[in-house]
Amino acid sequence: EGAEPGQVLVVHVEKITPHNIGWTGYRGNTGAMPGWLGDSNVGPTSKVVEIRDGRIIWNDKFSIPIKPMLGCVGVAPARDRWVNSWAGVWGGNFDIQEVTDGAQVHIPIQVPGANLHIGDMHALQGDGEICGGGGIETGGIARLRVELKDKPADMTWPRIENDEYIMTTAQARPAEDAFRTALSEMLLWLEGEYNFARKDAFMFLAQVLEARITQFVNPTFSYVAKVKKEYLEWTR
């Protein structure tokens, strides 16, 4: 209530608790590399797993620790209609593993009321989400808290924080455009909030930036760019 363009909706992810069953699958011709190795000769395949005691039971010999996340956190876009497989400046289906317990997702509000939407819970997801339905898809309970803040003048895309990092993200095709946009947003954040000159921000990020592609299968690809907060304490 009271959310308006010119503000940021801050979504505090307090706790994600997945259900005890998960699913993953590969359709045989989708994902990060359709046709890259020729015909897959796999065909549609899927796997149902038990989630027990904080672990994914892959088989009777191997289990994997869960890392629950929300693949989709967004507000209503300002124009047009988008199905929820898309992501953009409004957030959406960006599939970033850092959207987990303790994260704060800062999303520029596009329309009055914001219209927050969340979903696409994964118990675990590898970088790239390479099979399309490639995370351990599951349901569960997400405890969230939201607040409104004024939007920084230099902010266009969502930002993410946790106790250790500040993060920017962007979605685009080709993937290098997503990286360049996320990098641009990080440069602007360092200038606007941490008192960097542009030339110094470039040289600083050349040493400390962490960046990777988190999904390579949606209509636009997601990059996250990260800087450790401990590297920024001297700027305050």
Side-chain angles (χ1 to χ4, degrees):
E1 185 176 347
E4 296 288 342
Q7 295 178 303
V8 170
L9 186 68
V10 184
V11 181
H12 298 260
V13 183
E14 296 187 344
K15 182 66 175 177
I16 301 172
T17 305
H19 288 164
N20 61 356
I21 294 293
W23 175 93
T24 191
Y26 175 56
R27 296 177 187 173
N29 60 353
T30 61
M33 304 193 305
W36 191 261
L37 295 175
D39 292 337
S40 68
N41 297 316
V42 173
T45 185
S46 63
K47 185 178 184 69
V48 175
V49 297
E50 182 183 2
I51 301 170
R52 185 177 71 236
D53 299 327
R55 301 187 74 87
I56 295 156
I57 310 304
W58 192 254
N59 56 38
D60 59 0
K61 297 180 179 179
F62 181 65
S63 66
I64 314 169
I66 63 171
K67 296 180 181 178
M69 57 171 282
L70 294 174
C72 185
V73 181
V75 298
R79 295 180 297 276
D80 302 323
R81 293 182 179 180
W82 299 89
V83 296
N84 63 5
S85 59
W86 287 80
V89 294
W90 63 90
N93 187 33
F94 40 36
D95 288 312
I96 296 171
Q97 294 94 325
E98 283 82 356
V99 181
T100 186
D101 295 359
Q104 302 169 30
V105 186
H106 301 242
I107 308 172
I109 294 169
Q110 311 290 308
V111 300
N115 297 332
L116 173 67
H117 58 280
I118 66 168
D120 195 22
M121 185 182 292
H122 299 161
L124 184 67
Q125 178 194 296
D127 286 342
E129 198 184 14
I130 64 169
C131 288
I136 300 296
E137 312 287 335
T138 189
I141 297 172
R143 187 174 73 240
L144 310 175
R145 178 171 57 87
V146 298
E147 64 174 318
L148 294 172
K149 291 186 176 181
D150 291 334
K151 186 179 79 67
D154 55 3
M155 178 185 184
T156 301
W157 289 78
R159 296 174 176 178
I160 305 168
E161 290 189 64
N162 59 26
D163 288 343
E164 189 176 4
Y165 286 95
I166 64 169
M167 294 169 261
T168 55
T169 182
Q171 290 74 46
R173 285 200 186 200
E176 53 264 36
D177 285 354
F179 170 67
R180 290 177 179 127
T181 303
L183 174 59
S184 297
E185 290 289 305
M186 182 61 76
L187 286 162
L188 293 171
W189 197 352
L190 294 184
E191 289 178 352
E193 190 167 333
Y194 294 94
N195 303 310
F196 277 82
R198 178 72 56 90
K199 61 183 178 64
D200 295 325
F202 267 110
M203 291 187 290
F204 179 73
L205 290 178
Q207 320 313 318
V208 303
L209 182 71
E210 300 176 38
R212 70 182 199 283
I213 196 160
T214 65
Q215 63 77 19
F216 205 69
V217 295
N218 293 342
T220 51
F221 304 142
S222 293
Y223 245 98
V224 63
K226 307 168 55 172
V227 174
K228 286 187 175 181
K229 288 182 173 180
E230 66 179 277
Y231 296 158
L232 297 166
E233 292 174 355
W234 63 277
T235 67
R236 297 296 194 175

